[in-house]
Amino acid sequence: MLTGVFATKLANPAGGDGWLAGNFAQMGIQLVAVLATVVLAATGTAVIMLIVKATVGVKADVRAQLRGLDLSEHGEEAYFGEQGAIAGSGTALGESVIVSSVPATPLEAPAVS
């Protein structure tokens, strides 16, 4: 939309002047162009989603979700040992890894002699 404000024939002799150069009509032209782009993108996205839904589906099944999508879709476990989670006893996430939070331990103060 700001092209309709800042456009100038100094920068593009084949184009038109914008609002600051005295041509407020350029704002309407830009608005129509932006709306056409939104409609085109939405339509294209809807068509692609319909094709994907008809072929492979758009959502993983419940079992894969409970198991963990990193494991079921990629065959690996992401974030293992990161973000405060380590393997060990704790809460089971479906059929995936068992994780528990790392206990926060205060840093020991250095001994002063």
Side-chain angles (χ1 to χ4, degrees), residues 13-103:
D17 286 330
W19 187 10
L20 293 179
N23 182 13
F24 187 73
Q26 188 65 36
M27 289 295 294
I29 295 168
Q30 292 303 123
L31 179 62
V32 168
V34 167
L35 292 176
T37 302
V38 168
V39 169
L40 178 65
T43 304
T45 300
V47 169
I48 291 169
M49 286 299 294
L50 287 173
I51 293 170
V52 169
K53 185 177 180 181
T55 57
V56 295
V58 292
K59 184 176 178 183
D61 63 350
V62 174
R63 182 176 208 138
Q65 290 179 34
L66 290 175
R67 188 169 179 225
L69 293 180
D70 288 322
L71 192 58
S72 66
E73 297 293 321
H74 305 292
E76 62 185 13
E77 296 171 3
Y79 307 116
F80 179 72
E82 297 178 19
Q83 300 181 358
I86 58 171
S89 61
T91 307
L93 296 175
E95 300 172 9
S96 186
V97 154
I98 297 175
V99 295
S100 65
S101 61
V102 177

